[in-house]
Amino acid sequence: MPIQDFIESKNIRLDQQLRFTAEIDKMTSILRRTMLIDDSRRENDAEHSWHIAVMALLFTEYAAEPVDIGRAVKMCVVHDLIEIYAGDTFAYDAAGNKDKAQREQAAADKLFAMLPKEQGDEIRSLWEEFDAMQTADAKYAACMDRLQPFLHNTLTGGHTWVESGTNRASVEKRMAIIKEFMPTVYKWIEQNLDNAIQKGWLKA
């Protein structure tokens, strides 16, 4: 049923919230490069966001600073909403990342304006905080965002690494926030990087 069939409630605020809720269903159609662990297909943005939100509940004991789990989970849930319009940009796509910031800012302007102002401002603020990676909550959420696809790669024969011809240095750069904020977890990262090199999943 298309959005044109939406029946208005006559409550402007409620209608804005309902229309936004319908719009973000489009996340289920935004495919990422990451393969599901069962190797059946690529995951979508909604699945990724759910996965890292649950992860955020699990790993706070390894964080270098105290983390507000509630705020971190919120960031995990909203961090990719703008990809409804901007699309998913693969982490190791140098060309695609050149205009990523501009595309995502334009998408944020369009998407968050759909909500009542204070709610749109709140979600945009969380998205911007996540993107800046300056606060403890944002660093932690960013660690989850990087840890999840890394884990998937270790369990799918390095699928996205092999497909893109990624080298170890590029992955280490992306994992730097984990090295800084979750050093115990980074030791596991290093073990898996060594294994990926040995198996030819990553270029040395």
Side-chain angles (χ1 to χ4, degrees):
M1 182 178 292
I3 193 64
Q4 288 84 352
D5 293 326
F6 173 73
I7 298 174
E8 294 186 352
S9 69
K10 309 306 179 187
N11 178 324
I12 293 175
R13 180 181 177 86
L14 176 58
D15 287 343
Q16 288 176 314
Q17 294 163 329
L18 289 169
R19 286 181 180 277
F20 178 84
T21 301
E23 188 72 357
I24 64 173
D25 180 70
K26 292 177 180 178
M27 285 189 79
T28 60
S29 299
I30 307 299
L31 293 179
R32 293 166 49 81
R33 296 282 287 274
T34 305
M35 288 293 288
L36 296 181
I37 291 173
D38 70 3
D39 235 4
S40 61
R41 61 173 173 82
R42 290 158 62 188
E43 72 173 356
N44 63 50
D45 265 357
E47 291 166 328
H48 167 70
S49 297
W50 158 80
H51 209 171
I52 68 170
V54 176
M55 289 170 62
L57 302 176
L58 306 178
F59 296 100
T60 53
E61 64 196 89
Y62 306 107
E65 301 174 45
V67 172
D68 182 329
I69 297 176
R71 293 191 77 253
V73 167
K74 284 182 180 181
M75 287 183 204
C76 289
V77 170
V78 306
H79 82 290
D80 274 346
L81 287 176
I82 44 82
E83 293 187 359
I84 290 169
Y85 304 135
D88 176 65
T89 304
F90 182 48
Y92 304 111
D93 177 4
N97 276 282
K98 287 181 180 178
D99 67 344
K100 178 185 176 185
Q102 296 95 311
R103 285 186 287 109
E104 291 189 347
Q105 286 291 335
D109 290 343
K110 179 179 178 181
L111 182 64
F112 300 134
M114 294 180 67
L115 282 167
K117 187 177 186 311
E118 84 282 0
Q119 288 186 325
D121 288 349
E122 178 190 7
I123 294 178
R124 183 171 190 145
S125 178
L126 287 165
W127 169 68
E128 290 175 344
E129 182 179 345
F130 172 89
D131 217 39
M133 286 196 305
Q134 296 298 310
T135 66
D137 297 343
K139 288 178 181 179
Y140 181 66
C143 286
M144 301 301 101
D145 185 44
R146 285 152 175 74
L147 181 60
Q148 186 255 3
F150 185 91
L151 175 62
H152 278 234
N153 265 311
T154 68
L155 299 174
T156 57
H159 177 83
T160 60
W161 298 331
V162 173
E163 186 179 60
S164 60
T166 301
N167 61 45
R168 178 171 182 152
S170 296
V171 179
E172 287 176 333
K173 182 178 180 181
R174 180 127 181 105
M175 298 297 118
I177 187 64
I178 299 178
K179 185 175 184 178
E180 170 198 341
F181 200 73
M182 303 180 76
T184 299
V185 176
Y186 192 77
K187 292 177 182 177
W188 176 83
I189 297 281
E190 288 183 311
Q191 290 177 314
N192 280 278
L193 288 173
D194 291 341
N195 184 60
I197 292 292
Q198 291 171 8
K199 293 187 174 178
W201 300 345
L202 280 174
K203 294 180 179 179

